[in-house]
Coordinates of all heavy atoms in Angstrom, one line a residue:
A1 N 14.0 -4.8 -8.2 CA 13.6 -5.9 -7.3 C 12.4 -5.4 -6.5 O 12.4 -4.3 -6.0 CB 14.7 -6.3 -6.4
S2 N 11.5 -6.3 -6.2 CA 10.4 -5.9 -5.4 C 10.0 -7.2 -4.6 O 10.2 -8.3 -5.0 CB 9.2 -5.4 -6.2 OG 8.7 -6.4 -7.0
T3 N 9.3 -6.9 -3.5 CA 8.8 -8.0 -2.7 C 7.5 -7.5 -2.1 O 7.2 -6.3 -1.9 CB 9.7 -8.4 -1.5 OG1 9.2 -9.5 -0.8 CG2 10.0 -7.2 -0.6
E4 N 6.6 -8.4 -1.8 CA 5.3 -8.1 -1.2 C 5.4 -8.0 0.3 O 5.5 -9.1 0.9 CB 4.2 -9.1 -1.7 CG 2.8 -8.6 -1.4 CD 1.8 -9.4 -2.1 OE1 2.0 -9.9 -3.2 OE2 0.7 -9.5 -1.5
V5 N 5.6 -6.8 0.9 CA 5.8 -6.7 2.3 C 4.5 -7.1 3.1 O 4.5 -7.7 4.1 CB 6.1 -5.2 2.6 CG1 6.3 -5.0 4.1 CG2 7.4 -4.8 1.9
F6 N 3.3 -6.7 2.5 CA 2.1 -7.0 3.1 C 1.3 -8.0 2.2 O 0.7 -7.5 1.3 CB 1.2 -5.7 3.3 CG 2.0 -4.6 4.1 CD1 2.5 -3.5 3.4 CD2 2.2 -4.7 5.5 CE1 3.2 -2.5 4.1 CE2 2.9 -3.8 6.1 CZ 3.4 -2.7 5.5
P7 N 1.4 -9.3 2.6 CA 0.7 -10.2 1.7 C -0.8 -10.0 1.6 O -1.4 -9.6 2.5 CB 1.0 -11.6 2.4 CG 1.9 -11.3 3.5 CD 2.0 -9.8 3.7
T8 N -1.3 -10.3 0.4 CA -2.7 -10.1 0.1 C -3.5 -11.1 1.0 O -3.2 -12.3 1.0 CB -3.0 -10.3 -1.4 OG1 -2.2 -9.4 -2.1 CG2 -4.4 -10.1 -1.7
Y9 N -4.5 -10.6 1.7 CA -5.3 -11.4 2.5 C -6.8 -10.9 2.3 O -7.0 -9.7 2.4 CB -4.9 -11.3 4.0 CG -5.8 -12.0 4.9 CD1 -5.8 -13.4 5.0 CD2 -6.8 -11.3 5.6 CE1 -6.6 -14.1 5.9 CE2 -7.7 -12.0 6.5 CZ -7.6 -13.4 6.6 OH -8.4 -14.1 7.4
G10 N -7.7 -11.7 2.1 CA -9.1 -11.3 2.0 C -9.3 -10.3 0.8 O -10.1 -9.4 1.0
G11 N -8.6 -10.5 -0.2 CA -8.8 -9.6 -1.4 C -7.9 -8.4 -1.4 O -7.9 -7.7 -2.3
G12 N -7.1 -8.3 -0.3 CA -6.1 -7.2 -0.3 C -6.7 -5.8 -0.4 O -7.9 -5.7 0.0
P13 N -6.0 -4.8 -0.8 CA -6.5 -3.5 -0.9 C -7.7 -3.3 -1.8 O -8.6 -2.6 -1.5 CB -5.3 -2.7 -1.4 CG -4.1 -3.5 -1.1 CD -4.6 -4.9 -1.1
K14 N -7.7 -4.1 -2.9 CA -8.8 -4.0 -3.8 C -10.1 -4.5 -3.1 O -11.2 -3.9 -3.3 CB -8.5 -4.8 -5.1 CG -7.6 -4.1 -6.0 CD -7.4 -4.9 -7.3 CE -6.4 -4.3 -8.2 NZ -6.2 -5.1 -9.4
G15 N -9.9 -5.6 -2.4 CA -11.1 -6.2 -1.7 C -11.6 -5.3 -0.6 O -12.8 -5.2 -0.4
M16 N -10.7 -4.6 0.1 CA -11.1 -3.7 1.1 C -11.8 -2.5 0.5 O -12.8 -2.1 1.1 CB -9.8 -3.2 1.9 CG -10.2 -2.3 3.1 SD -8.7 -1.7 4.0 CE -8.4 -3.2 4.9
A17 N -11.3 -2.0 -0.6 CA -12.0 -0.9 -1.3 C -13.4 -1.3 -1.7 O -14.4 -0.5 -1.5 CB -11.2 -0.4 -2.5
E18 N -13.6 -2.5 -2.2 CA -14.9 -3.0 -2.6 C -15.8 -3.1 -1.4 O -16.9 -2.7 -1.4 CB -14.8 -4.3 -3.3 CG -14.2 -4.2 -4.7 CD -14.0 -5.6 -5.4 OE1 -14.5 -6.6 -4.9 OE2 -13.3 -5.6 -6.4
K19 N -15.2 -3.6 -0.3 CA -16.0 -3.9 0.9 C -16.6 -2.5 1.5 O -17.7 -2.5 1.9 CB -15.1 -4.5 2.0 CG -15.8 -4.8 3.3 CD -14.9 -5.4 4.3 CE -15.6 -5.6 5.6 NZ -14.7 -6.2 6.6
F20 N -15.7 -1.5 1.4 CA -16.2 -0.2 2.0 C -16.7 0.7 0.9 O -17.0 1.9 1.1 CB -15.0 0.5 2.7 CG -14.6 -0.2 4.0 CD1 -13.5 -1.1 4.0 CD2 -15.4 -0.1 5.1 CE1 -13.2 -1.7 5.2 CE2 -15.1 -0.8 6.3 CZ -14.0 -1.6 6.3
N21 N -16.9 0.2 -0.3 CA -17.5 1.0 -1.4 C -16.8 2.3 -1.7 O -17.4 3.3 -1.8 CB -19.0 1.2 -1.1 CG -19.7 1.6 -2.4 OD1 -19.4 1.2 -3.5 ND2 -20.8 2.3 -2.3
V22 N -15.5 2.2 -1.8 CA -14.6 3.3 -2.1 C -13.7 2.9 -3.3 O -13.5 1.7 -3.5 CB -13.7 3.8 -0.9 CG1 -14.6 4.3 0.2 CG2 -12.8 2.7 -0.5
P23 N -13.3 3.9 -4.1 CA -12.5 3.5 -5.3 C -11.1 3.0 -4.9 O -10.5 3.5 -3.9 CB -12.4 4.8 -6.1 CG -12.7 5.9 -5.1 CD -13.6 5.3 -4.0
Y24 N -10.6 2.0 -5.6 CA -9.2 1.6 -5.4 C -8.4 2.5 -6.3 O -8.5 2.6 -7.5 CB -9.1 0.1 -5.9 CG -7.7 -0.4 -5.8 CD1 -7.1 -0.7 -4.7 CD2 -7.0 -0.6 -7.0 CE1 -5.8 -1.2 -4.6 CE2 -5.7 -1.1 -7.0 CZ -5.1 -1.4 -5.8 OH -3.8 -1.8 -5.8
L25 N -7.4 3.1 -5.7 CA -6.6 4.1 -6.4 C -5.3 3.5 -7.0 O -4.8 4.1 -7.9 CB -6.2 5.3 -5.4 CG -7.4 6.1 -4.9 CD1 -7.0 7.1 -3.9 CD2 -8.2 6.7 -6.0
G26 N -4.9 2.4 -6.5 CA -3.7 1.8 -7.0 C -2.7 1.4 -5.9 O -3.0 1.6 -4.8
K27 N -1.6 0.8 -6.3 CA -0.6 0.4 -5.4 C 0.6 1.2 -5.6 O 0.9 1.6 -6.7 CB -0.4 -1.1 -5.3 CG 0.2 -1.7 -6.6 CD 0.3 -3.2 -6.4 CE 1.1 -3.8 -7.5 NZ 1.3 -5.3 -7.3
L28 N 1.3 1.4 -4.5 CA 2.5 2.3 -4.5 C 3.7 1.5 -3.9 O 3.6 1.1 -2.8 CB 2.2 3.5 -3.7 CG 3.2 4.6 -3.6 CD1 3.5 5.2 -5.0 CD2 2.8 5.7 -2.7
P29 N 4.7 1.3 -4.7 CA 5.9 0.7 -4.2 C 6.5 1.5 -3.0 O 6.5 2.7 -3.1 CB 6.9 0.6 -5.3 CG 6.1 1.0 -6.6 CD 4.9 1.7 -6.1
L30 N 7.0 0.8 -2.0 CA 7.7 1.5 -0.9 C 9.0 2.1 -1.4 O 9.8 1.4 -2.1 CB 7.9 0.5 0.3 CG 6.7 0.0 0.9 CD1 7.1 -1.0 2.0 CD2 5.9 1.1 1.6
D31 N 9.3 3.3 -1.0 CA 10.5 3.9 -1.4 C 10.9 4.9 -0.2 O 10.1 5.8 0.1 CB 10.3 4.8 -2.7 CG 11.6 5.4 -3.2 OD1 12.5 5.7 -2.4 OD2 11.7 5.6 -4.4
T32 N 12.0 4.6 0.4 CA 12.4 5.4 1.5 C 12.6 6.9 1.1 O 12.5 7.8 2.0 CB 13.8 4.9 2.1 OG1 14.8 4.8 1.1 CG2 13.6 3.5 2.7
N33 N 12.8 7.2 -0.1 CA 13.0 8.5 -0.6 C 11.6 9.3 -0.5 O 11.7 10.5 -0.4 CB 13.6 8.6 -2.0 CG 15.0 8.2 -2.0 OD1 15.8 8.6 -1.1 ND2 15.4 7.5 -3.0
L34 N 10.5 8.6 -0.5 CA 9.2 9.2 -0.4 C 9.1 9.9 1.0 O 8.7 11.1 1.1 CB 8.1 8.3 -0.7 CG 6.7 8.8 -0.6 CD1 6.5 10.0 -1.5 CD2 5.7 7.7 -0.9
L35 N 9.4 9.2 2.0 CA 9.4 9.7 3.3 C 10.4 10.8 3.5 O 10.1 11.9 4.0 CB 9.7 8.6 4.4 CG 9.9 9.1 5.8 CD1 8.6 9.7 6.3 CD2 10.3 7.9 6.7
K36 N 11.6 10.6 2.9 CA 12.6 11.7 3.0 C 12.2 13.0 2.3 O 12.3 14.1 2.9 CB 13.9 11.2 2.3 CG 15.1 12.1 2.3 CD 16.3 11.5 1.7 CE 17.5 12.4 1.7 NZ 18.7 11.8 1.1
A37 N 11.5 12.9 1.2 CA 11.0 14.1 0.5 C 9.9 14.8 1.3 O 9.9 16.0 1.4 CB 10.5 13.7 -0.9
C38 N 9.1 14.0 1.9 CA 8.0 14.5 2.7 C 8.6 15.3 3.9 O 8.2 16.4 4.3 CB 7.1 13.4 3.2 SG 6.0 12.7 1.9
E39 N 9.6 14.6 4.6 CA 10.2 15.3 5.7 C 10.9 16.6 5.4 O 11.0 17.5 6.2 CB 11.2 14.3 6.4 CG 10.5 13.2 7.1 CD 11.5 12.2 7.7 OE1 12.7 12.1 7.3 OE2 11.1 11.4 8.6
E40 N 11.4 16.6 4.1 CA 12.2 17.8 3.7 C 11.2 18.9 3.1 O 11.6 20.0 2.7 CB 13.2 17.4 2.6 CG 14.3 16.6 3.2 CD 15.2 16.0 2.1 OE1 14.9 16.2 0.9 OE2 16.3 15.4 2.5
G41 N 9.9 18.5 2.9 CA 9.0 19.4 2.3 C 9.3 19.6 0.8 O 8.9 20.6 0.2
A42 N 9.9 18.5 0.2 CA 10.2 18.6 -1.2 C 9.2 17.7 -2.1 O 8.6 16.9 -1.5 CB 11.6 18.0 -1.4
S43 N 9.2 18.0 -3.3 CA 8.3 17.3 -4.2 C 9.0 16.0 -4.6 O 10.1 16.0 -5.2 CB 8.1 18.1 -5.5 OG 7.5 17.2 -6.5
F44 N 8.4 14.9 -4.2 CA 9.0 13.6 -4.4 C 9.2 13.3 -5.9 O 10.3 12.9 -6.4 CB 8.2 12.4 -3.8 CG 8.6 11.1 -4.2 CD1 9.7 10.5 -3.6 CD2 7.9 10.3 -5.1 CE1 10.1 9.2 -4.0 CE2 8.3 9.1 -5.5 CZ 9.4 8.5 -4.9
V45 N 8.2 13.6 -6.7 CA 8.3 13.3 -8.2 C 9.3 14.2 -8.9 O 9.9 13.7 -9.9 CB 6.9 13.4 -8.9 CG1 6.0 12.3 -8.3 CG2 6.3 14.7 -8.7
D46 N 9.5 15.4 -8.4 CA 10.5 16.2 -9.0 C 11.9 15.8 -8.5 O 12.9 15.9 -9.3 CB 10.3 17.7 -8.6 CG 9.1 18.3 -9.3 OD1 8.7 17.8 -10.3 OD2 8.5 19.3 -8.8
K47 N 12.1 15.5 -7.3 CA 13.4 15.1 -6.7 C 13.9 13.7 -7.1 O 15.1 13.5 -7.3 CB 13.3 15.3 -5.2 CG 14.7 15.3 -4.6 CD 14.6 15.8 -3.1 CE 16.0 15.9 -2.6 NZ 16.1 16.4 -1.3
Y48 N 12.9 12.8 -7.3 CA 13.3 11.4 -7.6 C 12.5 10.9 -8.8 O 11.7 10.0 -8.7 CB 13.0 10.5 -6.4 CG 13.8 10.9 -5.2 CD1 13.1 11.7 -4.2 CD2 15.1 10.7 -5.0 CE1 13.8 12.1 -3.1 CE2 15.8 11.1 -3.9 CZ 15.2 11.8 -2.9 OH 15.9 12.2 -1.8
P49 N 12.6 11.5 -10.0 CA 11.8 11.2 -11.2 C 12.0 9.7 -11.7 O 11.1 9.2 -12.3 CB 12.2 12.2 -12.2 CG 13.6 12.7 -11.8 CD 13.6 12.6 -10.3
S50 N 13.2 9.1 -11.4 CA 13.4 7.8 -11.8 C 13.0 6.7 -10.8 O 13.2 5.5 -11.1 CB 14.9 7.6 -12.2 OG 15.7 7.8 -11.1
S51 N 12.4 7.1 -9.7 CA 12.0 6.1 -8.7 C 10.9 5.3 -9.3 O 10.0 5.8 -10.0 CB 11.5 6.8 -7.5 OG 10.8 5.9 -6.6
P52 N 10.8 4.0 -8.9 CA 9.7 3.1 -9.4 C 8.4 3.6 -8.8 O 7.3 3.1 -9.3 CB 10.1 1.7 -8.9 CG 11.4 1.8 -8.2 CD 11.8 3.2 -8.2
A53 N 8.4 4.4 -7.8 CA 7.1 4.9 -7.1 C 6.6 6.1 -7.8 O 5.4 6.5 -7.6 CB 7.4 5.1 -5.6
T54 N 7.4 6.8 -8.6 CA 7.0 8.1 -9.2 C 5.8 7.9 -10.1 O 4.8 8.6 -10.0 CB 8.1 8.7 -10.0 OG1 9.2 9.0 -9.0 CG2 7.7 10.0 -10.6
S55 N 5.8 7.0 -11.0 CA 4.7 6.8 -12.0 C 3.4 6.4 -11.3 O 2.3 7.0 -11.5 CB 5.1 5.8 -13.1 OG 4.0 5.6 -14.0
P56 N 3.5 5.4 -10.4 CA 2.2 5.0 -9.7 C 1.7 6.1 -8.8 O 0.5 6.3 -8.7 CB 2.6 3.8 -8.8 CG 3.9 3.3 -9.4 CD 4.5 4.4 -10.1
L57 N 2.6 6.9 -8.2 CA 2.1 8.0 -7.4 C 1.4 9.1 -8.2 O 0.4 9.6 -7.9 CB 3.3 8.7 -6.6 CG 2.9 9.9 -5.7 CD1 1.9 9.5 -4.6 CD2 4.2 10.4 -5.1
N58 N 2.0 9.4 -9.4 CA 1.3 10.3 -10.3 C 0.0 9.8 -10.7 O -1.0 10.6 -10.9 CB 2.2 10.6 -11.5 CG 3.3 11.6 -11.3 OD1 3.1 12.5 -10.4 ND2 4.4 11.5 -12.0
G59 N -0.1 8.5 -11.0 CA -1.4 7.9 -11.3 C -2.5 8.0 -10.2 O -3.6 8.3 -10.5
I60 N -2.1 7.8 -9.0 CA -3.0 8.0 -7.9 C -3.4 9.4 -7.7 O -4.6 9.7 -7.6 CB -2.3 7.5 -6.6 CG1 -2.2 6.0 -6.6 CG2 -3.1 7.9 -5.3 CD1 -1.3 5.4 -5.5
V61 N -2.5 10.4 -7.9 CA -2.8 11.8 -7.8 C -3.8 12.2 -8.9 O -4.8 12.9 -8.7 CB -1.5 12.7 -7.8 CG1 -1.9 14.1 -8.0 CG2 -0.7 12.5 -6.6
D62 N -3.5 11.7 -10.1 CA -4.4 12.0 -11.3 C -5.9 11.5 -11.0 O -6.8 12.2 -11.2 CB -3.9 11.3 -12.5 CG -2.7 12.0 -13.1 OD1 -2.4 13.1 -12.7 OD2 -2.0 11.3 -13.9
K63 N -6.0 10.3 -10.4 CA -7.3 9.7 -10.0 C -8.0 10.6 -9.0 O -9.2 10.8 -9.0 CB -7.2 8.3 -9.5 CG -6.8 7.3 -10.6 CD -6.6 5.9 -10.1 CE -6.2 5.0 -11.2 NZ -5.9 3.6 -10.6
L64 N -7.2 11.1 -8.0 CA -7.8 11.9 -6.9 C -8.3 13.3 -7.5 O -9.3 13.7 -7.2 CB -6.8 12.2 -5.8 CG -6.5 11.0 -4.9 CD1 -5.3 11.3 -4.0 CD2 -7.7 10.7 -4.1
I65 N -7.5 13.8 -8.4 CA -7.9 15.1 -9.0 C -9.2 14.9 -9.8 O -10.0 15.8 -9.7 CB -6.7 15.6 -10.0 CG1 -5.5 16.1 -9.1 CG2 -7.2 16.7 -10.9 CD1 -4.3 16.4 -9.9
L66 N -9.3 13.8 -10.5 CA -10.5 13.6 -11.3 C -11.7 13.3 -10.4 O -12.9 13.7 -10.7 CB -10.3 12.5 -12.3 CG -9.4 12.7 -13.4 CD1 -9.2 11.4 -14.2 CD2 -9.9 13.8 -14.3
A67 N -11.5 12.7 -9.2 CA -12.6 12.3 -8.3 C -13.1 13.5 -7.4 O -14.2 13.5 -7.0 CB -12.1 11.1 -7.5
L68 N -12.2 14.4 -7.1 CA -12.6 15.4 -6.1 C -13.1 16.7 -6.8 O -12.7 17.0 -7.9 CB -11.3 15.8 -5.3 CG -10.7 14.7 -4.5 CD1 -9.4 15.2 -3.8 CD2 -11.7 14.3 -3.4
P69 N -14.1 17.3 -6.2 CA -14.7 18.5 -6.7 C -13.6 19.6 -6.7 O -12.9 19.7 -5.7 CB -15.9 18.8 -5.8 CG -15.6 18.1 -4.6 CD -14.7 16.9 -4.9
V70 N -13.6 20.4 -7.7 CA -12.6 21.5 -7.8 C -13.4 22.8 -7.8 O -14.3 23.0 -8.7 CB -11.7 21.4 -9.0 CG1 -10.7 22.5 -9.1 CG2 -10.9 20.1 -8.9
E71 N -13.0 23.8 -7.0 CA -13.7 25.1 -7.0 C -12.9 26.0 -7.9 O -11.7 25.9 -8.1 CB -13.7 25.7 -5.6 CG -14.5 25.0 -4.6 CD -14.5 25.7 -3.3 OE1 -14.0 26.9 -3.2 OE2 -15.1 25.1 -2.3
D72 N -13.6 26.9 -8.6 CA -12.9 27.9 -9.4 C -12.2 28.8 -8.4 O -12.5 29.0 -7.3 CB -14.0 28.8 -10.1 CG -14.7 28.0 -11.2 OD1 -14.1 27.0 -11.7 OD2 -15.8 28.4 -11.6
E73 N -11.1 29.4 -8.9 CA -10.3 30.3 -8.1 C -11.2 31.5 -7.6 O -11.0 31.9 -6.5 CB -9.1 30.9 -8.9 CG -8.0 29.8 -9.0 CD -6.7 30.4 -9.6 OE1 -6.5 31.6 -9.3 OE2 -6.1 29.7 -10.3
E74 N -12.1 31.9 -8.4 CA -13.0 33.0 -8.0 C -13.8 32.6 -6.8 O -14.0 33.4 -5.9 CB -13.9 33.5 -9.2 CG -13.1 34.1 -10.3 CD -14.0 34.4 -11.5 OE1 -15.2 34.3 -11.4 OE2 -13.5 34.7 -12.6
D75 N -14.3 31.4 -6.8 CA -15.1 30.9 -5.7 C -14.3 30.8 -4.4 O -14.8 31.2 -3.4 CB -15.7 29.5 -6.0 CG -16.7 29.5 -7.1 OD1 -17.3 30.6 -7.4 OD2 -17.0 28.4 -7.7
G76 N -13.1 30.4 -4.5 CA -12.2 30.3 -3.4 C -11.8 31.6 -2.8 O -11.7 31.8 -1.6
D77 N -11.7 32.6 -3.7 CA -11.3 34.0 -3.2 C -12.5 34.6 -2.4 O -12.3 35.3 -1.5 CB -11.0 34.9 -4.4 CG -9.7 34.5 -5.1 OD1 -8.9 33.8 -4.5 OD2 -9.5 34.9 -6.3
E78 N -13.7 34.3 -2.8 CA -14.9 34.9 -2.2 C -14.9 34.4 -0.7 O -15.2 35.1 0.2 CB -16.2 34.5 -2.9 CG -16.3 35.2 -4.2 CD -17.5 34.7 -5.0 OE1 -18.3 33.9 -4.4 OE2 -17.7 35.1 -6.1
D79 N -14.6 33.1 -0.5 CA -14.6 32.5 0.8 C -13.6 33.1 1.7 O -13.8 33.3 2.9 CB -14.4 31.0 0.8 CG -15.6 30.2 0.1 OD1 -16.7 30.8 0.1 OD2 -15.3 29.1 -0.4
M80 N -12.5 33.5 1.2 CA -11.4 34.1 2.0 C -11.7 35.5 2.4 O -11.1 36.0 3.3 CB -10.1 34.0 1.2 CG -9.6 32.6 0.9 SD -8.1 32.6 0.0 CE -7.0 32.2 1.3
Q81 N -12.6 36.2 1.7 CA -12.9 37.6 2.0 C -13.9 37.7 3.2 O -14.0 38.8 3.8 CB -13.5 38.3 0.8 CG -12.5 38.5 -0.4 CD -13.1 39.1 -1.6 OE1 -14.3 39.4 -1.6 NE2 -12.3 39.2 -2.6
D82 N -14.6 36.7 3.5 CA -15.6 36.7 4.6 C -14.9 36.9 5.9 O -13.9 36.5 6.3 CB -16.5 35.5 4.6 CG -17.4 35.5 3.4 OD1 -17.6 36.6 2.8 OD2 -17.8 34.4 3.0

């Protein structure tokens, strides 16, 4: 079961992303276990693999990984030596 807690207004999250010229990463169902996992320092996707939020969260993380620059481990090690 699901309900729209925050009704779409003015294009909703997609419209806001377009307005601010940022990528829309997706929508994530509310799950109280997500907050619980964060508070416990646990991996939500490992602890609650059958949650309806797990797949959309993985999708958002995948989009972030592709969008963000990644440094080689060697580059990161050099910065730590300074």
Side-chain angles (χ1 to χ4, degrees):
S2 68
T3 185
E4 194 168 327
V5 177
F6 306 105
T8 301
Y9 175 79
K14 287 182 183 179
M16 184 179 285
E18 288 176 13
K19 179 180 178 181
F20 291 102
N21 198 28
V22 296
Y24 174 74
L25 299 174
K27 64 183 190 178
L28 185 63
L30 294 177
D31 185 331
T32 56
N33 289 322
L34 179 57
L35 175 61
K36 185 177 178 181
C38 290
E39 288 176 341
E40 295 171 352
S43 167
F44 172 75
V45 296
D46 289 338
K47 194 165 184 175
Y48 303 100
S50 61
S51 167
T54 298
S55 181
L57 181 60
N58 279 332
I60 290 170
V61 170
D62 289 344
K63 288 177 185 176
L64 287 170
I65 289 170
L66 291 173
L68 296 173
V70 178
E71 293 183 10
D72 292 335
E73 285 188 33
E74 292 175 10
D75 292 341
D77 290 342
E78 290 174 9
D79 293 338
M80 297 179 103
Q81 293 175 0
D82 292 335

